[in-house]
Amino acid sequence: FRFFFRPKRKERKMADFKTMLDELMGSDRNMLPSERAKRKRHFSDDDVCKNFLVRFCFNGLFDKTKCDLGTCRFIHPDTLKEEWERFPNKGKYPYERDFLATCNRMIADVDSRTKRLKAKYNTDNINTLRRELDETIRKTEEYAEEGKIDESAAMNIKMEAIQAQLKKLEAGAPDGQVVLLPGGEKNVIPCDVCGAAVSRDQISHFEGKQHIGYEAIRAAAAELESSTSVMKPSAQQQQSWK
């Protein structure tokens, strides 16, 4: 998934370097001490990452994965996050609503992609099983004609198993099911949480950044959906943001 425009490599390195300096020395590092003393930082400052204040910065979730969003251009001071957490009237600002909207958009994108991939996997499974069924029927008849009773009986059992699988798939297999094809071949399916292709015994997937990242997004969205501070803002609050 690519949610943001990726700058050229040189520009991105410069942005990374600036962000690193901001994190280490503060975005006001070039100010004179007298100027810095007069200026009190606030969580509402334009250069502060509002997503970080609410829960986490999305850019940091998928570092060096296929979903890498690049480097965040805002700063992430723990002191301002603590200030936000102590702030009693969070509904005054749109930060949680904006964060929730981003969560829901990312979840919807993954769910849409997962639905399409599951439909494709299901079609592929059905086509594979139909080919295997045709071959099994052919062998069953061939063994019967040759008088190979045991072999024909074994093929008949296999044929019935394939037919049962086909019936289940054509009726609509449950979401998240991994179908075991004849011969023990495993057909992967997209993960319901993050959309990545995974097989049931691929335990390492559930410990990966992409899966953990989308778990965090889904959990945060579920929590914020019930938060009173995320309720629709009043006209007075909307006016105060302008």
Side-chain angles (χ1 to χ4, degrees), residues 181-196:
L181 302 177
E185 178 187 355
K186 290 184 178 179
N187 190 22
V188 297
I189 50 88
C191 173
D192 286 328
V193 173
C194 67

Side-chain angles (χ1 to χ4, degrees), residues 7-239:
K8 293 180 180 179
R9 181 171 297 181
K10 184 176 180 180
E11 294 173 345
R12 186 174 179 182
K13 283 185 178 180
M14 290 296 293
D16 290 348
F17 185 65
K18 180 182 181 300
T19 299
M20 181 183 69
L21 288 177
D22 288 346
E23 295 283 358
L24 292 174
M25 304 172 64
S27 60
D28 57 355
R29 61 186 179 280
N30 294 325
M31 286 185 176
L32 294 173
S34 58
E35 295 175 328
R36 190 180 297 116
K38 294 177 183 178
R39 182 174 181 266
K40 178 175 174 57
R41 295 306 306 261
H42 191 262
F43 59 70
S44 63
D45 289 348
D46 290 342
D47 60 345
V48 176
C49 177
K50 304 308 187 290
N51 292 326
F52 172 74
L53 296 179
V54 176
R55 288 295 186 281
F56 46 76
C57 176
F58 295 101
N59 297 66
L61 291 180
F62 306 112
D63 184 40
K64 297 178 181 177
T65 71
K66 291 181 179 179
C67 301
D68 193 337
L69 302 177
T71 303
C72 180
R73 61 189 180 91
F74 301 106
I75 61 172
H76 308 83
D78 290 331
T79 53
L80 296 185
K81 185 180 181 72
E82 292 166 2
E83 181 184 336
W84 167 258
E85 290 172 348
R86 292 193 301 268
F87 187 69
N89 188 18
K90 292 182 173 58
K92 178 181 177 182
Y93 295 91
Y95 306 156
E96 290 187 339
R97 283 178 285 275
D98 292 345
F99 180 90
L100 178 59
T102 301
C103 285
N104 286 336
R105 185 177 69 250
M106 294 177 74
I107 291 170
D109 287 343
V110 169
D111 288 349
S112 176
R113 179 175 178 272
T114 300
K115 185 177 180 180
R116 291 196 306 271
L117 287 176
K118 280 186 176 180
K120 178 181 181 301
Y121 283 130
N122 194 64
T123 300
D124 290 346
N125 281 339
I126 289 173
N127 292 337
T128 299
L129 288 173
R130 282 175 177 167
R131 289 193 296 270
E132 186 70 17
L133 179 61
D134 290 342
E135 178 64 16
T136 303
I137 292 174
R138 186 188 66 79
K139 286 184 177 180
T140 301
E141 294 173 348
E142 181 180 303
Y143 287 144
E145 291 174 359
E146 294 174 356
K148 297 178 179 179
I149 306 302
D150 292 340
E151 289 85 346
S152 180
M155 285 293 105
N156 192 60
I157 292 173
K158 183 178 180 179
M159 178 181 68
E160 290 175 352
I162 295 173
Q163 287 173 331
Q165 283 184 310
L166 264 175
K167 184 177 180 180
K168 193 171 185 178
L169 280 177
E170 289 172 341
D175 285 348
Q177 180 179 357
V178 176
V179 178
L180 294 179
L181 302 177
E185 178 187 355
K186 290 184 178 179
N187 190 22
V188 297
I189 50 88
C191 173
D192 286 328
V193 173
C194 67
V198 60
S199 58
R200 182 173 293 169
D201 61 350
Q202 191 179 341
I203 303 300
S204 60
H205 162 77
F206 303 102
E207 300 170 353
K209 282 186 178 181
Q210 182 171 327
H211 186 86
I212 292 174
Y214 273 102
E215 273 189 329
I217 290 171
R218 291 177 184 275
E223 183 181 347
L224 285 172
E225 287 285 1
S226 59
S227 173
T228 55
S229 60
V230 187
M231 294 173 64
K232 186 176 181 181
S234 65
Q236 184 178 357
Q237 287 175 334
Q238 291 179 0
Q239 187 65 31

